Amino acid sequence: MREAIRLAGADEERSLLGSHDDTIRRVRDALGVRAFTRGGDLIVEGDPDSVREAVRVLTRLLDIVRSTGDLSGEDIDAVIDSSPVSETGGQGIVRALDGTFIAPRSKGQRMYVEAMRARGITMAIGPAGTGKTFLAVAMAVSYLRQGLFRRLVLVRPAVEAGEKLGFLPGDLAEKVNPYLRPLYDSLGDLLEFTQIQRYRDQDVIEIVPLAFMRGRTLDNAFIILDEAQNTTPEQMMMFLTRMGRNSMIVATGDITQVDLDDDQVSGLVDAQRVLAGIEGVRFVELENSDIVRHPLVQEIVVAYEARSRSTRGDP
């Protein structure tokens, strides 16, 4: 869906868009739409519900510009927070198929979303149920809709398959599909099945095993590495160096759930040491308090952690 808002002139356009287009960027990020100026109009594109909400927000901001001549940060926050994402502090990402607005639901998740919005390399480390993969996929879908990236590349190591992949029945896609299934599940909450298929046919969305990344350079892409704790340091370096122009990377993993052989170091753990302090690489550590699945999941994680500490003799 596309809607146009008529602007009175260049001065009004500058006042509404803000310094370095900061205002319009905040609206795009909060509501998951694409917005740009053309021929004196502010064009808003995206799914119908998001476009209608963005037009409402932008029209209100334009009313403030026309009445006061300027927009303050407080004005922008107040108008964005009056939208359906108000309870999330204006940090909504994208609308799901069921109509709910995907947004961070804990302090750790908010830090994670802010790190991703910096568009460098983000490494999210935390237990199951903290939304590491789902929030990354939601951010990627939002950015695709805004036209900020041309491709979404979802990557996962097929550690359990090891060298036995060739013995599994079916063609290559059928062999690796079980290890990529969680990525399809996350996409399925945000996009219709036919749209996912169309995007895959057009190479807009690619879901691949980590081993298939060697030798590639990915430009204009949002790249997600899921289950990054199951990479070796060499695989992690190989993956990170696939990053091309106008691309960003999100790597997610739970360092308490490493499936590598005992004598192998996790590439995610190694990256924490090697890449610490590099500008543009952000580490976000999610905790049990950030678990947003069924309430029992948090209790299960805590119980297993307590047993692990007891076994090690930790206090």
Side-chain angles (χ1 to χ4, degrees):
M1 179 178 180
R2 169 184 284 204
E3 293 285 347
I5 301 172
R6 189 66 182 175
L7 303 176
D11 290 342
E12 186 171 275
E13 178 179 323
R14 281 192 295 270
S15 297
L16 178 62
L17 269 57
S19 177
H20 305 294
D21 291 348
D22 182 63
T23 304
I24 201 66
R25 179 186 59 79
R26 289 172 64 181
V27 173
R28 286 197 305 250
D29 286 348
L31 298 173
V33 296
R34 184 181 180 208
F36 54 92
T37 55
R38 178 180 295 166
D41 289 340
L42 177 57
I43 308 297
V44 183
E45 295 179 339
D47 69 81
D49 288 339
S50 297
V51 168
R52 281 190 285 268
E53 183 59 26
V55 168
R56 188 194 71 80
V57 167
L58 289 165
T59 300
R60 176 63 186 130
L61 292 173
L62 188 56
D63 288 342
I64 296 173
V65 168
R66 289 172 175 171
S67 61
T68 67
D70 199 7
L71 277 175
S72 68
E74 291 77 11
D75 291 331
I76 299 167
D77 288 339
V79 174
I80 290 178
D81 289 350
S82 71
S83 75
V85 300
S86 59
E87 64 212 81
T88 69
Q91 292 195 28
I93 301 172
V94 70
R95 197 176 297 276
L97 288 179
D98 63 4
T100 58
F101 215 93
I102 305 303
R105 294 164 57 187
S106 68
K107 180 179 178 181
Q109 286 192 349
R110 286 192 289 274
M111 293 173 60
Y112 179 30
V113 169
E114 286 304 311
M116 286 191 288
R117 283 180 171 151
R119 300 186 202 169
I121 295 176
T122 299
M123 298 201 175
I125 302 168
T130 50
K132 303 181 297 294
T133 302
F134 185 68
L135 288 176
V137 172
M139 184 69 75
V141 169
S142 174
Y143 280 171
L144 278 180
R145 289 176 175 173
Q146 295 176 45
L148 299 177
F149 298 100
R150 291 205 297 264
R151 303 181 63 196
L152 165 57
V153 182
L154 298 159
V155 185
R156 210 168 191 258
V159 169
E160 298 87 349
E163 297 300 319
K164 300 177 182 178
L165 222 110
F167 294 99
L168 296 176
D171 60 19
L172 185 58
E174 292 170 325
K175 294 175 193 293
V176 301
N177 185 65
Y179 306 101
L180 306 178
R181 187 73 252 171
L183 300 175
Y184 284 104
D185 292 342
S186 294
L187 278 175
D189 288 334
L190 303 169
L191 299 171
E192 297 283 357
F193 175 77
T194 54
Q195 188 174 21
I196 295 174
Q197 287 297 106
R198 185 168 64 252
Y199 278 160
R200 292 207 65 192
D201 291 342
Q202 297 169 347
D203 284 333
V204 174
I205 292 178
E206 184 178 3
I207 305 178
V208 293
L210 176 61
F212 289 21
M213 295 292 289
R214 190 173 301 279
R216 302 182 62 183
T217 300
L218 299 172
D219 296 330
N220 298 300
F222 191 122
I223 312 161
I224 299 173
L225 173 62
D226 192 34
E227 298 291 337
Q229 79 277 3
N230 287 331
T231 63
T232 65
E234 294 76 17
Q235 288 173 328
M236 178 63 79
M237 179 182 175
M238 180 273 290
F239 169 76
L240 294 176
T241 54
R242 302 308 94 198
M243 187 178 185
R245 295 184 300 274
N246 187 40
S247 290
M248 65 176 284
I249 282 177
V250 179
T252 70
D254 178 359
I255 58 176
T256 69
Q257 299 289 329
V258 178
D259 296 317
L260 300 172
D261 293 338
D262 292 340
D263 60 345
Q264 290 184 299
V265 177
S266 166
L268 186 57
V269 174
D270 184 66
Q272 285 182 284
R273 297 191 295 263
V274 175
L275 304 181
I278 294 180
E279 186 175 356
V281 179
R282 294 167 176 81
F283 290 88
V284 179
E285 296 194 19
L286 299 168
E287 302 175 350
N288 293 339
S289 59
D290 298 306
I291 294 175
V292 295
R293 288 182 187 167
H294 192 287
L296 279 175
V297 173
Q298 188 174 46
E299 294 186 36
I300 290 168
V301 170
V302 171
Y304 274 100
E305 286 183 348
R307 188 187 69 171
S308 179
R309 287 194 300 271
S310 175
T311 301
R312 296 194 307 266
D314 295 342

